[in-house]
Amino acid sequence: MLREFEKLVFILPARKLFYVCLAIAFISISLLEAVGIGLIGPFIYLASDPERISEIPLLESAYRYFSLDSYNNAVAILGLFIVFFFLMKSYLSWRMQAYIFSFSYKQEAALSMRLMRKYMSAPYTFHLNQSSSHVLHVVISVVKKVSLGVLVPLLTCISNLVLFIAISTLLFLSNATVTLVTLFAMLPLLYLLNRQKGTVKKWGQQTTDANKDAHKVITGALGGIKEAKVIGCNEYFSAELNKQAKRYAQASSAFVAFKLSPRLIMEAFFISLIIGFTSIALLAQGNIDHLVSTLGIFAMASIRLIPAVSNFTNSLNNLRNSSYAIDLLYSEIKALDEFDKTENRAILDSKIIGSRPSIGSDNPHAMSFADSICIENLSYAYPRQVKQAVEAVSVQINRGQSVAFIGKSGAGKTTLIDILLGLLTPQQGDIKVDGVSIYDDLRAWQNIIGYIPQAIFLRDDTVAKNIAYGVPADMINEQKLQQVIKTSQLTEVIDNLPEGIHTVVGERGTRLSGGQRQRIGIARALYHGSEVLIMDEATSALDNQTENLITEAIEEMSGKRTIIVIAHRLTTIRNCDRIYMMEQGKVVKSGTYDEIVASEAETYSKA
């Protein structure tokens, strides 16, 4: 349990001092509970004979100080004071419970944001081996599980444990023998509950895994809805989801049934204890007048102890049930931190010329680019791979020049582009712009890059927000937006849309054609970085007519911007100033279109 608590403290954003303050608050509320219950016995004792006030020096002094008319009035006033005390205690308890949930929900939001930032700032190599459904599951489901299934139960568990100790101490002071008998009688129940901790944790793991697999099924079905309808595999996905739903229901229902038992057992136990204790006293002595106040305390204590013990055991079970989520989240954050350390260590230990790149920097400035981009002896191998994906590549690209990289699949073209984009850090070599390494300020270099991938990702949002991707709506530059729309030949497309630039394009741009989505991709690239345009197979999935439109848009920018292209279609690179052919991570040939492609058109077309 201590290890789980240490993991939770590591995971949660709250400061450690906060937990100390929270513990003090729990103790204070629990002491108030114990004092309130402790007042019931003396009040019953005095109410049965108000004259007994004279036997208690403190109450007798108060009685004379306030010049009360009779002992009956004094007991009545004492009763009103106890009522006020209970009202205040109940209000503070309610505020504490409300605060526990408020704190837990705030921690959930903060933890989700912390994870999202870590995922977004994680090295590109991390995302190459991670599915989006897993990230979605962790950020939403696992975080919620930790918040409501771990944090709330843990705080509730601590609160009820402190309350249990305070009330038990009060009962011990009232009647030590009965209290000790009660506590020892509860040991078998606690032992049986503890024996089931492995099963409870297993149920929690099953529900978490079922949720994760359900996410995979749903994202897989909706992500390929077109193919699913054509193939006719709707029932397959429905059956898979149903299987996970049953798996979740089975584990959840077993856990809920198990949670119900402690309260029922505790109710029967305390009622049997009070009635049994009273019956024994009657049989032994025949009169229980002297036990009335003690019985009152035990009766009131049982009213608070039953839910306290029940809440404690339920919270403990919830904690065990959700401990798998703590382990998963702890491992995930550790892995993300380790990826970050490994990446930074690789940068520091590498032979890259220049200082360490400011990965994740938010510097708003752009890198100065007036002359050329020099790729110098660049080499890169993916993690846990011996063979280099890019090996000793040296290329110079002048400002305003358009160049293309061609080659068969696996030649290293995309890896080279990912290095140029700053997504991968080479183990050797450097990239310089006007003699300055891009690794001196990677963010400044990325601020002048526009990237157009083969498959443009579009959010289920407006055209304007998809072009100004990642920019808040109130910060979109309208003038710049209209300029890039014109340059990317989107004007006619937008004019034909029902709401113009405010038309919602649908999830992944389903309401647009492939060419329209690609032109939005060009507009996005120009909006975010207009100096260097990098295109990775940007027209390979388009028909000839649409490709011509895209090519025209690119040709219009030729000379004004530096364009770097990866392409399989020879027509796309016909007008490039320079072409580089790659094989096994190396540049094996370079020259004009006629020198490189035309002479090997037949060989290249078979790639």
Side-chain angles (χ1 to χ4, degrees), residues 545-565:
Q545 184 178 358
T546 306
E547 184 192 17
N548 289 335
L549 291 173
I550 301 297
T551 304
E552 287 175 17
I554 295 170
E555 286 178 359
E556 186 181 328
M557 294 180 283
S558 185
K560 303 173 186 176
R561 293 175 175 82
T562 304
I563 301 174
I564 302 171
V565 181

Side-chain angles (χ1 to χ4, degrees), residues 16-26:
K16 292 179 177 62
L17 180 62
F18 171 82
Y19 297 106
V20 177
C21 296
L22 200 62
I24 294 171
F26 283 151

Side-chain angles (χ1 to χ4, degrees), residues 1-9 201 323 326-327:
M1 183 60 70
L2 183 61
R3 179 57 179 160
E4 300 299 324
F5 182 74
E6 289 176 355
K7 289 181 180 180
L8 188 63
V9 171
K201 184 173 182 178
S323 61
I326 299 178
D327 295 338

Side-chain angles (χ1 to χ4, degrees), residues 283-344:
L283 291 171
Q285 303 171 16
N287 191 330
I288 61 168
D289 288 343
H290 64 288
L291 295 175
V292 169
S293 60
T294 304
L295 286 173
I297 293 175
F298 270 82
M300 188 63 189
S302 67
I303 293 174
R304 290 299 295 122
L305 275 178
I306 290 172
V309 174
S310 178
N311 288 338
F312 173 78
T313 54
N314 283 340
S315 299
L316 193 61
N317 286 328
N318 281 330
L319 195 57
R320 288 167 174 168
N321 182 259
S322 303
S323 61
Y324 178 71
I326 299 178
D327 295 338
L328 194 155
L329 206 55
Y330 179 81
S331 300
E332 196 75 7
I333 293 175
K334 279 288 187 181
L336 287 166
D337 288 343
E338 189 59 33
F339 256 98
D340 187 48
K341 289 178 184 177
T342 302
E343 184 78 0
N344 290 334

Side-chain angles (χ1 to χ4, degrees), residues 363-384:
N363 295 336
H365 63 281
M367 196 171 201
S368 175
F369 177 31
D371 187 20
S372 64
I373 301 168
C374 292
I375 301 172
E376 300 177 350
N377 199 34
L378 213 62
S379 295
Y380 179 82
Y382 286 97
R384 296 179 294 277

Side-chain angles (χ1 to χ4, degrees), residues 395-417:
V395 170
Q396 179 170 320
I397 304 169
N398 297 323
R399 179 179 172 83
Q401 193 177 33
S402 58
V403 301
F405 290 90
I406 64 173
K408 298 179 180 180
S409 296
K413 309 182 300 297
T414 298
T415 302
L416 179 61
I417 291 300

